[in-house]
Structure formats: structure tokens, C-alpha cells
């Protein structure tokens, strides 16, 4: 096998969950009391609990692969994406990525509600590092794909969720041509027709050699699109492999709590 | 990318206000009127080389830029957290772009200054061009401070409350409405170390065409240098930490 484009070795990510649910983020008053009590030797260990968002996660992704990541809320999917995107560093382990990384997470990159659709496209493109020319060349194409031509001059704050998602997706897919595309739950909004259009576009990218890591709750998409699938459970890889099998396992697990509830 | 971040800050700023640019111009102008009335006519502070309104306006121009820059720089990381959580890029860009975008306001205020000079019939000395490197100098200082404050603000939200307060106190310690010559011999050193004071005093001298107090520049540039180096060091040290807690 050729060298993988993404190689993840035993990564772990720890967050501290302390008071206020704001990990490590204390007010100055608390910090001062903390330091004082320490100096007086009356240091009471903080009730800060550790939370391992990811534990001992390893996998490889080959070039041109679509890999799905599924799991319940809080299983560590978004943390994994953030680590792959280089936004945050893992507490332990190593990630090796050979290529440029683009993200498609939630709403558009740096989109501003006061600016209109057109301006936001230019802005997002600029943030992704494109030249103004290149963006303007593709502007109409993006508006057409997102079906937002008639709202191009409306400030984004008046957009509906679906419109927002459509704009974000179109911008990312047209302007962002990274070798690795990380997608976190952006296909949730938008209607079926638009989703199909997105899939086609994504597959087009893959044919051109893009590698995709797709995080989603929609198991059907994973079955439909992915070559392989990772099922994350409580920060660990529960299973990895054929999408249909892995998705089946996930759905089976998801059934369990509800049956317990019914029995009770 | 940096260019677009700056562009965004500027466009958004002028879109949100109805009066737009007019607002930027009116604000320091009204302040100038009030300061002239209170500190010149009521309190009796006088300026030597320039008419008091011009004198105080230079102080206001510089000070307004400084506060605006530090203020937006301090909150910049928290404001941009969405972007920071989605993309990996040099995070220094964020405070930097907010400092630079505020320079646009200063350009408009400068236009008003030119009008004032005409109005009061002050022939501007050629040394007025000094104001450009001086504003750059101040921007570097504001950037250094913003590095400290933005990181601290990301870690401790209290900083958001302290900054405006601290800036207000600092304003009285800076010769905005009085000339530095009014500061007693004993405290002169403190003013010398203040880069904002240096910017204001040198700008005044440059516009009036009087000798430029270079000692102020030299002394205060050490402060700027240490603030900047310390800021960059702190920023890099805590970079991986603040991203997880923001």
C-alpha cells in the first residue's frame, strides 16, 4: 500500500472540566484565591475532572478515499476533526498529514451577518487564501450552485438556516480545493435535491483526487458515500471498516438505550 | 488572507453605522469642542506653539486611535473564535488585522485636523509628514499590548471589564489635554516612558515646526520593544492553551 495521506497514531485529547464548565478558564478572583491558598500551604486539590475526548485513536486514510466518521454526541468526532484541521493539538500521539487541508465545518468561514452574500463569498475566499480575481471569476457559478442569485445582495443575517448552509457549502466546495477536505455535519441543512447536488459535487472532487473525511449523524450518507467508516464511541474507535457493517453496528448500539427505557 | 481580514473589519464597521464616516469625524470633533471649553476656558490650560483647539485635537486623534485599537485588539481573539476553531492559520493575524483596520479611522480624523489647521490659519510645517511614522510606531505599541490583552482575555474574561477602565485612567496620565511641560520635573520620567505621550508630543512638535523631542522617542521605544517581545512570547506560549478554552 502507498503511504497514507493522513496517518493518525494513538492520539488522545484531554480537556479539563472544572467549575463553570469552562475548562481551565477561571476568573482572576478564583485564580488569586487559588494562588493564595497554595502559598499558605492550604492547597486544596481542585475538583477539576479530566475528560478524555479522544483516547488511543489510530487510523490511516489513503489518497482519494472518503472516510465517514459516525458516533453519538460527545463521542469525539468534532475533536478529531479539529485535530486533523490543525486547530488544536492532541494531548498525546501524532498526526501526519501530507497535503493541504480545508475544512467545511458548520457555517461558512468567517462569514459576517452584516455583509451580503456576494461580499461573504469574496471574504471567505480571501480567508482561504485566494486572490480576489480568482474568487470573482467563480462568483456567479457559486451563486448559481447555491440557488441564491436573487439574494446575492441581501445581508446574510436575513438568510434562513437552509440558505446559510447552502451558501457555506457552495463557497467551500468551489473555492476551497484542498487535497484533504474535512466535513463536519454541514449537509444537515438543505433539502434533498440540494444534498444530491452536493454529493455529486463531492464525488467529482474525489475523482479529481481529493480525500474526504466526513463527520455526520446521517448514517445513510455514510453508507451511500464512504469507502470506509469509523465508529467512535466515548472517544475510542469502536470499529472501523466497511460502511454498511460499521453503520449497522452503530445503529444497533443506538437501539439499546431506548429498549432499556421501554423495559423500565 | 490578512488583507481580507482587515477589509472585513473595515467594511463591517462602516456598514453598521448609519452615519458611517461622518460619525468617525464628528466624535473627536465634539470632544475637541468640549475639551477646549473645559480645559482651556474653565481650567485655564494653555498651549504654547499651537492654538489650543488644534493642540488638543492632535491629542484626541492619537488617543482615539490608541484606545480603539487596544480595545478591539483585546477582544479580537474571542470575537474571532469561530474562525479560530475552524481553520489553522497564524493566529497573530487576528489581533494584527484589528489594529490595522482602525488606522482608517485615524485617516479621516487627520482630514479634520487639516481643516482645523486651515481654519486657525496655522501654516503646517513640512515636518507634518512625521505623523505617518509616528502612527505606525503607535500601532506597533497597540499591537504589542493587544497581544498581551487578547490572550489574557481569552483565558480570563475579566479582562474585558478592566480594559476600558484602565484606558480611561491612562488617558489622564497621558498629555492629551495638557502639554507635557505641565508635568512636574519629578514625574517627567513617567511621561517619557509612555509611548502614547511620545506620539502626541512629537506630533504636536512636528506640526508646529518646533524641535522634535527625540529623547521621548528613544526612551519610550524601549517600552514598545519590551511590550512587543513579551507579547509575542506570551502569545506563542499560550497559543495552544487558549484555543481549547475559548
Amino acid at each position: 500500500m502507498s503511504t497514507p495521506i493522513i496517518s493518525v497514531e494513538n492520539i488522545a485529547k484531554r480537556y479539563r472540566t472544572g467549575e463553570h464548565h469552562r475548562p481551565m478558564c477561571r476568573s482572576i478572583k478564583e485564580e488569586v484565591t487559588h494562588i493564595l491558598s497554595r502559598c499558605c500551604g492550604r492547597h486544596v486539590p481542585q475538583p477539576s475532572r479530566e475528560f478524555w475526548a479522544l483516547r488511543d485513536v489510530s487510523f490511516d486514510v489513503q489518497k482519494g478515499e472518503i472516510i465517514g466518521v459516525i458516533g453519538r454526541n460527545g463521542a469525539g468526532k468534532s475533536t478529531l476533526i479539529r485535530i486533523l484541521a490543525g486547530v488544536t493539538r492532541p494531548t498525546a500521539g501524532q498526526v501526519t498529514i501530507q497535503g493541504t487541508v480545508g475544512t467545511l465545518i458548520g457555517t461558512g468561514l468567517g462569514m459576517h451577518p452584516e455583509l451580503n452574500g456576494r461580499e461573504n463569498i469574496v471574504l471567505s475566499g480571501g480567508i482561504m487564501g485566494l486572490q480576489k480575481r480568482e474568487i470573482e471569476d467563480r462568483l456567479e457559478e457559486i451563486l448559481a450552485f447555491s440557488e441564491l442569485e436573487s439574494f446575492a445582495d441581501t445581508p446574510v443575517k436575513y438568510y434562513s438556516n437552509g440558505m446559510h448552509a447552502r451558501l457555506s457549502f457552495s463557497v467551500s466546495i468551489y473555492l476551497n480545493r484542498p487535497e484533504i477536505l474535512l466535513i463536519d455535519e454541514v449537509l444537515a441543512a438543505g433539502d434533498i435535491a440540494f444534498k444530491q447536488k452536493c454529493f455529486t459535487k463531492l464525488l467529482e472532487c474525489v475523482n479529481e483526487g481529493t480525500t474526504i473525511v466526513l463527520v455526520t449523524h446521517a448514517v445513510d450518507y455514510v453508507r451511500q458515500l464512504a469507502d470506509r467508516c469509523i465508529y467512535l464511541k466515548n472517544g475510542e474507535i469502536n470499529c472501523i471498516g466497511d460502511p454498511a457493517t460499521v453503520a449497522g453496528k452503530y445503529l444497533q448500539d443506538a437501539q439499546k438505550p431506548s429498549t432499556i427505557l421501554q423495559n423500565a | 488572507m490578512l488583507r481580507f481580514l482587515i477589509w472585513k473589519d473595515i467594511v463591517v464597521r462602516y456598514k453598521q453605522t448609519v452615519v458611517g464616516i461622518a460619525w468617525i469625524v464628528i466624535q473627536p470633533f465634539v470632544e475637541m469642542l468640549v475639551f477646549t471649553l473645559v480645559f482651556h476656558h474653565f481650567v485655564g490650560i494653555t498651549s504654547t506653539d499651537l492654538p489650543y483647539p488644534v493642540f488638543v485635537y492632535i491629542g484626541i486623534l492619537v488617543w482615539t486611535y490608541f484606545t480603539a485599537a487596544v480595545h478591539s485588539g483585546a477582544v479580537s481573539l474571542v470575537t474571532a473564535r469561530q474562525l479560530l476553531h475552524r481553520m489553522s492559520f497564524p493566529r497573530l493575524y487576528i489581533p494584527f488585522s484589528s489594529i490595522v483596520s482602525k488606522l482608517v479611522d485615524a485617516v479621516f480624523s487627520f482630514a479634520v485636523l487639516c481643516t482645523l489647521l486651515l481654519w486657525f490659519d496655522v501654516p503646517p510645517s513640512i515636518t507634518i509628514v512625521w505623523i505617518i511614522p509616528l502612527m505606525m510606531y503607535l500601532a506597533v505599541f497597540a499591537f504589542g499590548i493587544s497581544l498581551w490583552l487578547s490572550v489574557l482575555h481569552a483565558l480570563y474574561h475579566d479582562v474585558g471589564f478592566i480594559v476600558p477602565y484602565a484606558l480611561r485612567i491612562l488617558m489622564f496620565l497621558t498629555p492629551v489635554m495638557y502639554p507635557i511641560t505641565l508635568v512636574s520635573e519629578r514625574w517627567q520620567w513617567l511621561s517619557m516612558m509612555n509611548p502614547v505621550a511620545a506620539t502626541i508630543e512629537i506630533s504636536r512638535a512636528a506640526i508646529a515646526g518646533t524641535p522634535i523631542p527625540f529623547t521621548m522617542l528613544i526612551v519610550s521605544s524601549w517600552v514598545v520593544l519590551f511590550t512587543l517581545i513579551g507579547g509575542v512570547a506570551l502569545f506563542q506560549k499560550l497559543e495552544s492553551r487558549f484555543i481549547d478554552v475559548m
Side-chain angles (χ1 to χ4, degrees), chain A:
Chain A
M1 236 198 251
S2 59
T3 45
I5 191 160
I6 303 174
S7 159
V8 175
E9 287 165 61
N10 308 93
I11 59 163
K13 179 74 186 175
R14 180 188 59 205
Y15 284 109
R16 293 211 180 93
T17 51
E19 53 275 32
H20 307 311
H21 302 286
R22 258 201 282 141
M24 274 159 73
C25 195
R26 283 182 281 216
S27 77
I28 289 178
K29 186 185 143 204
E30 286 164 320
E31 195 76 273
V32 168
T33 14
H34 179 69
I35 292 167
L36 280 180
S37 63
R38 230 180 184 163
C39 291
C40 300
R42 281 187 292 143
H43 174 54
V44 194
Q46 290 283 315
S48 90
R49 278 154 294 166
E50 286 182 347
F51 168 70
W52 290 88
L54 287 175
R55 234 183 306 213
D56 203 22
V57 170
S58 308
F59 62 90
D60 284 343
V61 182
Q62 300 295 328
K63 189 174 178 336
E65 225 181 347
I66 301 184
I67 190 144
V69 180
I70 52 175
R72 299 192 53 186
N73 284 329
K77 303 187 299 294
S78 296
T79 307
L80 179 64
I81 287 282
R82 278 187 192 178
I83 290 174
L84 291 178
V87 166
T88 181
R89 261 182 256 156
T91 314
Q94 206 176 356
V95 178
T96 323
I97 290 175
Q98 328 247 320
T100 53
V101 180
T103 50
L104 233 153
I105 307 176
T107 48
L109 269 179
M111 288 220 178
H112 199 285
E114 294 288 339
L115 301 177
N116 66 35
R118 219 179 279 276
E119 288 165 327
N120 264 310
I121 295 174
V122 176
L123 176 65
S124 300
I127 287 172
M128 289 167 197
L130 275 88
Q131 297 298 313
K132 213 171 169 188
R133 276 293 298 251
E134 297 176 80
I135 304 165
E136 275 163 358
D137 286 348
R138 281 177 243 172
L139 220 138
E140 293 309 315
E141 215 182 333
I142 293 170
L143 287 171
F145 186 83
S146 60
E147 298 157 26
L148 287 169
E149 291 107 324
S150 41
F151 300 100
D153 298 313
T154 312
V156 168
K157 64 177 170 185
Y158 299 121
Y159 280 24
S160 70
N161 284 337
M163 287 157 80
H164 213 283
R166 254 148 55 199
L167 184 66
S168 310
F169 184 85
S170 315
V171 165
S172 316
I173 208 74
Y174 272 93
L175 294 179
N176 209 356
R177 275 303 166 85
E179 288 159 60
I180 300 158
L181 187 58
L182 308 172
I183 306 178
D184 190 357
E185 207 64 79
V186 276
L187 301 171
D191 51 45
I192 296 169
F194 187 73
K195 268 177 205 160
Q196 280 308 328
K197 222 160 87 172
C198 295
F199 287 166
T200 322
K201 197 77 201 165
L202 283 179
L203 289 172
E204 227 173 80
C205 292
V206 172
N207 284 334
E208 286 165 25
T210 310
T211 309
I212 295 178
V213 180
L214 173 71
V215 167
T216 183
H217 283 291
V219 179
D220 286 343
Y221 303 154
V222 173
R223 280 207 201 113
Q224 204 179 328
L225 281 172
D227 299 313
R228 271 194 308 149
C229 183
I230 295 173
Y231 170 25
L232 278 180
K233 192 178 179 184
N234 299 326
E236 288 170 66
I237 291 185
N238 186 280
C239 60
I240 178 166
D242 171 57
T245 328
V246 175
K249 180 103 174 39
Y250 169 61
L251 289 177
Q252 217 176 18
D253 270 9
Q255 296 292 323
K256 277 179 198 160
S258 58
T259 45
I260 292 169
L261 270 176
Q262 275 163 15
N263 290 345

Side-chain angles (χ1 to χ4, degrees), chain A residues 13 15 22-28 31 82 85-89 103 105 107-110 112 114-115 119 122-123 126-128 130 135, chain B residues 1-5 7-8 11-12 15-16 82-88 91 154-159 162 236 239-241 243-245:
Chain A
K13 179 74 186 175
Y15 284 109
R22 258 201 282 141
M24 274 159 73
C25 195
R26 283 182 281 216
S27 77
I28 289 178
E31 195 76 273
R82 278 187 192 178
V87 166
T88 181
R89 261 182 256 156
T103 50
I105 307 176
T107 48
L109 269 179
H112 199 285
E114 294 288 339
L115 301 177
E119 288 165 327
V122 176
L123 176 65
I127 287 172
M128 289 167 197
L130 275 88
I135 304 165
Chain B
M1 169 173 181
L2 198 49
R3 253 184 34 227
F4 283 90
L5 285 175
W7 174 77
K8 177 181 104 173
V11 174
V12 168
K15 272 216 167 173
Q16 274 167 339
Q82 289 233 326
L83 189 59
L84 288 165
H85 276 164
R86 273 163 210 186
M87 219 174 125
S88 120
R91 293 174 185 127
L155 295 175
Y156 312 105
H157 285 254
D158 314 48
V159 174
I162 298 168
Q236 280 175 343
E239 202 167 9
S240 57
R241 219 176 105 182
I243 200 77
D244 286 340
V245 299

Side-chain angles (χ1 to χ4, degrees), chain A residues 23-25 87-88, chain B residues 76-78 81 84-85 90-92 94-95 147-148 150-157 231 234-246:
Chain A
M24 274 159 73
C25 195
V87 166
T88 181
Chain B
S76 60
L77 284 177
V78 175
R81 59 201 274 218
L84 288 165
H85 276 164
R91 293 174 185 127
L92 274 174
I94 296 291
L147 289 180
W148 286 85
S150 59
V151 172
L152 292 174
H153 185 231
L155 295 175
Y156 312 105
H157 285 254
L234 184 81
F235 197 89
Q236 280 175 343
K237 185 160 182 281
L238 297 179
E239 202 167 9
S240 57
R241 219 176 105 182
F242 69 69
I243 200 77
D244 286 340
V245 299
M246 244 175 6

